[in-house]
Structures are given as C-alpha cells and as structure tokens.
Amino acid sequence: APGVYQLASLLVELDASDEASRILCADALYQMGCAEEAHKLLLLALSRNPQRSPILVRLALLQLKKGFMYDGNQLLKKVIRIGDTSCLLPIMDIFKDEDRKLMQTHCHFRALTILKNKQED
C-alpha cells in the first residue's frame, strides 16, 4: 500500500484532475489505516463529481466504520438512485475483511428491514 500511495500521489501531482489517481490514493491510505486522510481525499473527489458511485460507496464504508449509520445509508441510497451499482463487487475486494463483513451485514439487515416494511404495508 505505501508504494501504491506514492505512485498514485505522483500521478495526482502530474494531473490534479485525475479522479482515478485520487481514488487509488484514497484506497492506499485506507489500506494503510489512514481512514481520515482517505475520507478527505474522497470528499474532494466527490466535490468535483457528486454522482460517482465508486466514491460514494467508499465514503459509505468510512461512515459505517465511524458508526454513522444514517450518513452511510444516505450515501448507499444515492448510489442506488444513480443506478450504477456495478462498482460494488470490485470495491468489496478492496475492503479489509472486517469492513467487507460490516458492509455486507449492514446492507443485508437494511434490505430485510425494507422488505419487512413492504410486507406490512
């Protein structure tokens, strides 16, 4: 992760508008345990492109890790509204095992709650 971070940082220096390099930097920071720095980079990338599902999903995970369930849910809802959920599986490979389980469990329970509420209606 440190080598990936250094390479991605150089790419960002060469082209500050390169979103993929920013996301790669954020992923490397996340892998190195620097969640706050990753969060800041993702927020910057999101400010430039608020409809990017890969950024929203990463931010949702970071919010869930902090215990901010409402914020995480809102970000996941936005991804669903955008309709670009194809990024979810590849991103899950980036997450650490404990975070992957957190995201899967959270989404599973939210889906069950939604289904239960619809059945009651």
Side-chain angles (χ1 to χ4, degrees), residues 2 4 8 15 20 26 33 39-40 45 49 54 56 67 72 75-79 85 90 92 95 102-103 107 111-112:
V4 171
D15 183 2
H39 189 259
K40 290 174 187 174
N49 191 350
L56 293 168
L75 291 166
L76 291 171
K77 284 180 186 178
K78 191 170 184 178
V79 170
T85 57
M92 293 297 275
F95 293 164
L102 171 70
M103 181 69 92
C107 289
L112 288 177

Side-chain angles (χ1 to χ4, degrees), residues 27-67:
D27 287 347
L29 286 167
Y30 161 79
Q31 288 294 327
M32 294 186 308
C34 303
E36 284 303 315
E37 291 85 357
H39 189 259
K40 290 174 187 174
L41 268 176
L42 291 169
L43 286 176
L44 179 61
L46 188 65
S47 70
R48 294 179 178 185
N49 191 350
Q51 300 297 314
R52 288 283 291 151
S53 293
I55 298 168
L56 293 168
V57 170
R58 286 170 171 88
L59 282 170
L61 171 73
L62 293 174
Q63 294 297 67
L64 293 174
K65 279 181 63 84
K66 292 179 185 178

